[in-house]
Amino acid sequence: MTQLNETRDTLKIVVVGHVDHGKSTVIGRLLYDTDSLPEGTVNKVKKIAKETGKPFEYAYLLDAFEEEQKQGITIDTTQLQFRTKKRDYVIIDAPGHKEFLKNMISGAANAEAGFLIIDAKEGVQEQSKRHAYILSLLGIKKVYVVLNKMDLVDYSQEIYETIKKEMTEFLADLKVYPIDYIPVSAYFGENILHPSEKLKWFKGNSFVGAMDAIETEKGLEDKPLRFPIQDVYKFDDRRIIAGRIESGRIKVGDKITIYPEGKKTTVKSIAYWAERDKKDVAVAGESTGIIVEDEFFNKRGEVIAFEEDKPSISNSFRANVFWMGKNDLVKNKKYKIKLSSQEVEGEIEEIIGIVDSSSLDSKVNSGKIKQNDVAEVIITTNEDVVFDKFADSHVTGRFVIVDGYDVAGGGIIVDAEERRELKELQTFTFETLKARGDIFEEFYYNVEEFSIDQYKDFNKSYTVGDEIPISGESYKYPESFDVLVLRDKVAIKIRNKIITEIITLDQYGFTGYPLTNGRGFAIQAFTQPEFEKFMKEYSKTDERREVEFLNQWVKFDTYRRVIFHNNFWDI
Ligand code: GDP
Ligand code: MG
C-alpha cells in the first residue's frame, strides 16, 4: 500500500460534484490506473460483483480501498492516499452532500486544489453549482472542471464546449477561474492517465497530467510559525508541549511567544524517542513536541508563534459561514467554536448578509441563518481567540461551529475585528464563586417560526443578600428554593426571595427545599436518598448521556412555561 513519504511533495485535492456524476468512479480509476490499490483488491471486487450478479464498478474499488486504509489508524476514512510518478496525493472523497459539506468544513479546506466532476450527459446541475460555490467560499483557487461520462455523448466536442461555456460564466461570478476543463470517461479510463484517442480534439492534459501540473503552494515552511498546542505531557520531570506545526519552523534556541497571553520563552529541546531521531528543528506538517525553558501552565488551545509575525488575537472577527444545522443559526445564542486546537464559546453578533447556497441569491436578512445558507457575519467569543485570515493561513483561519453536540456549520475568517467589551455572563457571584444565572431566561414560542426562542438579560448580577426576581414572564419559582448550577459547580440558597448562601456544590447538602438546576428546571429529588442518587448519577454522566440524565431527573414545567410571541427578534 502507498505510504506518504515525507521527502516527496504531497498535494491534497478534493473531488466534488453532483451525486452519480462519477466521483467515486473517477477516484477508483485513478487508484487503478496508478497501481495504487493493494494486491488482490481488483480481483476481490470483481469476484464479489460476479457473486452478487452486479456489474463491476470502479467505485467499489474505492470502498475496498477505504476499508483497507481504515485499518491503519492514522488515516481519516474520507481521505485516500495515492501516488503518481511525480508526487503523493491525498484525495478527499465526498460521499454525499451532507458528508461533503462536513468534510469540507471540518477538514478538507486545506485542500489546495478542487476537481468538480460534471456528467457530460446530464450537464450542470444545481448541486454542481452549489459545490462550485463552496470551493470559492473556502478559497480553493486551483480548480479543474472534469466533464465525465464523455462516452455517453460520443466524446462530443460540441457538448463539451456548451457545458464549458455555461460553467465558465457561472464560475466567473464566483471569481473562480478554472485552470482547465478536462473531458474524460472514468468508466472506460479515457483521458485519465493518458490522453485519449477518442478525444483527439482535446489539446489539454489528461486527468493525472492535470493533477501533476498543479504547482503546490511552496513554502508552508517559510510562512510564519503557527504551532497550536494539542496537549501538554509530563514525562519524568520534563513537560512536553505537543502539537502539529501548521506553518513555519521551530528550532532549539528560538525565542517564542505563546498566545493569546503572550508569554515568552525559549525552546530548550525538541522531543525524541530514540537517540537517532534527535534533531533540533521541526517544520510545517510535522507533529512534534517541544520542551521550553520556562514552565508556564500551558494548555491545549494556545498557539506558539514568533512575535515578529504574530497572529491576530481578538474576541471578535468577521467570517463567512456555511450553516448546515437543522436549527437556525441565530444571534444571542451560545455556540461552541472550534478553531485549530482552541475551543471557545461564541455568538453571532451581527449578520451582514445571507445567501441561499443553492440559488446563490441574496436573501432578506431575517436575522436567522437557515440550513444550507451562507452568511457573512461578525462573531464574538467569550475569550480571546488566536487566528489568522483564511487567505493567510488555512488552519488558523478556519473554524467549526458546534450546536449542541453536532458540528452544524463552519466558516473562514475574512478579517479580525476590534476586541469587544465582554458581556458579564455570570449572574451569581460570591467571593471567588461564579455561576451562570440561566434561571432568569425567558422562553417564548415564536408563532411565526414555530420554534422556541430564549431571551436573557446579561447585565444582571446577584450576590448574597440580594433579593432576586422570583417570577418573570415565563417563570415563577417558590419564595425559598435551592439552585444547583451543575456545570459551574455552585449551589445557591434562596430564602424568602433573598440569596442567603452561594457555596460550592461540594459544600452543599440536601436541605429539603425545592431544587432547580441552573436553568430553573425542577430537579426530581425530594428526599435525602433521592438527592444522593441524583448527585451520584450526575457525577457519572458524560456529554453523551446528558439527555438521558435530564429526561430522568428534571422537569421543565414545574416553574416554567413557554409563552407565545410573534417574532422575538423584532422586540
Ligand atoms: P458518485 O456518486 O459521484 O460517486 O458517482 P459514481 O462514481 O458512483 O458513479 C455513478 C454511476 O455512473 C455508476 O453507475 C458509474 O458506473 C457510472 N459512471 C461513472 N463514470 C462513468 C463514465 O465515465 N461513463 C459511464 N457510462 N458511466 C459512468
Ligand atoms: Mg460516490
Side-chain angles (χ1 to χ4, degrees):
M1 200 200 314
T2 333
Q3 285 297 328
L4 278 188
N5 181 334
E6 299 219 345
T7 60
R8 274 165 61 101
D9 235 5
T10 300
L11 184 71
K12 261 194 165 188
I13 64 175
V14 60
V15 178
V16 300
H18 185 76
V19 65
D20 281 345
H21 280 200
K23 295 180 299 291
S24 302
T25 308
V26 163
I27 298 169
R29 246 305 165 183
L30 281 175
L31 298 174
Y32 179 79
D33 285 1
T34 56
D35 284 330
S36 299
L37 292 159
E39 284 240 349
T41 310
V42 181
N43 284 337
K44 199 164 87 191
V45 171
K46 277 190 174 151
K47 199 166 149 240
I48 294 171
K50 206 171 156 200
E51 280 166 11
T52 53
K54 288 187 195 157
F56 173 78
E57 286 274 359
Y58 284 93
Y60 299 158
L61 291 175
L62 199 58
D63 297 339
F65 189 59
E66 281 185 341
E67 205 46 52
E68 230 23 77
Q69 289 202 338
K70 255 185 234 170
Q71 300 176 2
I73 43 164
T74 49
I75 298 159
D76 184 327
T77 54
T78 59
Q79 308 205 351
L80 300 156
Q81 302 170 6
F82 81 102
R83 53 165 47 183
T84 62
K85 283 203 189 77
K86 169 145 186 209
R87 67 178 154 219
D88 292 333
Y89 289 91
V90 174
I91 302 190
I92 296 126
D93 181 28
H97 189 204
K98 201 167 146 218
E99 287 75 13
F100 161 66
L101 291 170
K102 264 194 184 160
N103 291 345
M104 287 293 278
I105 287 163
S106 59
N110 43 359
E112 268 186 57
F115 286 78
L116 175 61
I117 313 280
I118 295 174
D119 183 324
K121 186 144 183 257
E122 281 203 5
V124 179
Q125 301 290 308
E126 202 47 54
Q127 224 164 85
S128 319
K129 291 185 177 177
R130 196 184 276 204
H131 289 181
Y133 181 57
I134 304 302
L135 293 180
S136 88
L137 179 87
L138 293 172
I140 297 176
K141 294 273 182 285
K142 293 159 192 162
V143 173
Y144 277 102
V145 178
V146 177
L147 300 191
N148 186 33
K149 308 197 190 182
M150 287 301 289
D151 58 294
L152 298 181
V153 295
D154 292 329
Y155 299 95
S156 155
Q157 181 173 8
E158 207 186 320
I159 288 175
Y160 168 90
E161 296 295 350
T162 309
I163 296 176
K164 179 174 171 178
K165 185 161 178 286
E166 182 187 353
M167 207 56 199
T168 305
E169 280 166 18
F170 176 79
L171 292 174
D173 286 341
L174 300 177
K175 301 197 168 52
V176 172
Y177 308 100
I179 304 171
D180 202 0
Y181 290 73
I182 314 168
V184 304
S185 165
Y187 194 85
F188 294 102
E190 299 294 340
N191 204 29
I192 297 289
L193 188 58
H194 303 294
S196 160
E197 282 296 307
K198 300 197 166 73
L199 292 159
K200 279 212 171 86
W201 50 264
F202 179 65
K203 299 291 173 244
N205 276 319
S206 68
F207 195 113
V208 172
M211 274 174 43
D212 282 348
I214 295 170
E215 277 180 39
T216 41
E217 200 182 314
K218 284 274 181 304
L220 207 49
E221 276 180 36
D222 299 322
K223 284 190 168 185
L225 173 69
R226 293 293 180 265
F227 183 25
I229 300 179
Q230 290 287 349
D231 250 312
V232 179
Y233 299 103
K234 214 166 151 46
F235 280 111
D236 314 325
D237 54 350
R238 296 178 304 170
R239 283 170 73 85
I240 300 180
I241 300 177
R244 191 183 125 98
I245 301 179
E246 299 298 350
S247 60
R249 56 178 75 217
I250 193 166
K251 61 181 192 304
V252 174
D254 276 348
K255 298 213 178 322
I256 55 170
T257 309
I258 305 171
Y259 294 99
E261 281 172 46
K263 297 170 282 193
K264 291 187 175 52
T265 187
T266 305
V267 181
K268 201 153 104 186
S269 62
I270 290 171
Y272 56 92
W273 289 109
E275 196 59 31
R276 66 186 151 84
D277 297 330
K278 188 172 171 170
K279 59 179 177 181
D280 44 19
V281 59
V283 300
E286 280 182 63
S287 289
T288 189
I290 62 167
I291 295 141
V292 296
E293 298 279 357
D294 308 270
E295 300 236 320
F296 302 114
F297 175 68
N298 292 111
K299 57 180 191 296
R300 182 183 170 86
E302 292 177 326
V303 179
I304 296 174
F306 296 133
E307 196 171 27
E308 316 80 89
D309 268 322
K310 70 173 188 182
S312 297
I313 300 143
S314 179
N315 60 3
S316 187
F317 50 83
R318 183 183 290 247
N320 287 335
V321 299
F322 191 101
W323 188 245
M324 52 194 186
K326 281 200 194 72
N327 300 321
D328 300 340
L329 174 63
V330 293
K331 293 199 277 187
N332 298 329
K333 181 178 166 185
K334 297 282 165 221
Y335 296 95
K336 195 190 286 172
I337 296 189
K338 295 187 183 184
L339 194 157
S340 66
S341 60
Q342 304 166 82
E343 230 182 87
V344 297
E345 217 173 59
E347 63 181 86
I348 305 292
E349 180 190 292
E350 192 185 331
I351 299 173
I352 299 163
I354 307 176
V355 168
D356 180 312
S357 68
S358 66
S359 64
L360 301 185
D361 289 338
S362 282
K363 295 174 71 168
V364 177
N365 190 343
S366 60
K368 293 189 169 199
I369 298 162
K370 303 214 167 280
Q371 192 171 34
N372 292 333
D373 279 351
V374 173
E376 188 181 357
V377 296
I378 291 174
I379 291 181
T380 307
T381 53
N382 67 349
E383 56 191 290
D384 277 341
V385 184
V386 183
F387 60 88
D388 290 285
K389 288 182 203 171
F390 184 77
D392 295 335
S393 167
H394 281 195
V395 176
T396 47
R398 169 160 53 84
F399 59 91
V400 157
I401 305 174
V402 180
D403 185 12
Y405 304 123
D406 300 320
V407 168
I412 59 175
I413 296 178
V414 180
D415 216 343
E417 290 277 317
E418 253 171 55
R419 184 181 271 106
R420 301 291 194 254
E421 284 280 323
L422 280 182
K423 283 178 181 168
E424 183 58 76
L425 294 175
Q426 273 69 33
T427 303
F428 297 108
T429 55
F430 181 64
E431 291 172 352
T432 58
L433 296 179
K434 286 179 175 187
R436 280 162 273 205
D438 296 329
I439 65 165
F440 304 120
E441 235 172 24
E442 301 284 5
F443 284 77
Y444 299 104
Y445 185 85
N446 183 329
V447 295
E448 283 172 21
E449 300 281 344
F450 312 118
S451 61
I452 292 179
D453 292 329
Q454 290 152 261
Y455 178 79
K456 181 170 142 189
D457 187 344
F458 285 103
N459 300 316
K460 296 260 163 60
S461 179
Y462 302 95
T463 187
V464 173
D466 287 347
E467 176 171 339
I468 61 154
I470 55 164
S471 56
E473 270 192 276
S474 64
Y475 58 85
K476 187 170 191 336
Y477 301 112
E479 303 214 329
S480 297
F481 68 112
D482 295 342
V483 184
L484 305 182
V485 186
L486 299 172
R487 50 179 189 166
D488 294 324
K489 299 198 166 30
V490 168
I492 300 133
K493 292 185 187 171
I494 294 140
R495 301 293 176 263
N496 297 318
K497 306 187 195 172
I498 309 280
I499 299 175
T500 55
E501 267 187 272
I502 296 179
I503 53 179
T504 68
L505 206 53
D506 293 337
Q507 293 166 330
Y508 180 83
F510 184 65
T511 63
Y513 280 97
L515 278 174
T516 76
N517 72 358
R519 304 199 79 111
F521 304 156
I523 294 172
Q524 304 298 292
F526 308 101
T527 62
Q528 175 83 30
E530 279 172 1
F531 174 73
E532 277 165 18
K533 188 159 178 243
F534 167 79
M535 290 305 288
K536 198 168 154 211
E537 282 185 27
Y538 175 70
S539 68
K540 287 189 300 195
T541 300
D542 57 11
E543 282 195 353
R544 246 174 284 277
R545 291 182 19 217
E546 192 180 341
V547 169
E548 203 183 308
F549 174 81
L550 290 173
N551 276 321
Q552 186 186 345
W553 286 101
V554 308
K555 226 171 134 202
F556 175 80
D557 55 3
T558 309
Y559 308 119
R560 288 188 162 283
R561 65 199 182 105
V562 177
I563 52 178
F564 297 108
H565 220 289
N566 279 335
N567 207 337
F568 170 62
W569 307 105
D570 298 336
I571 308 176

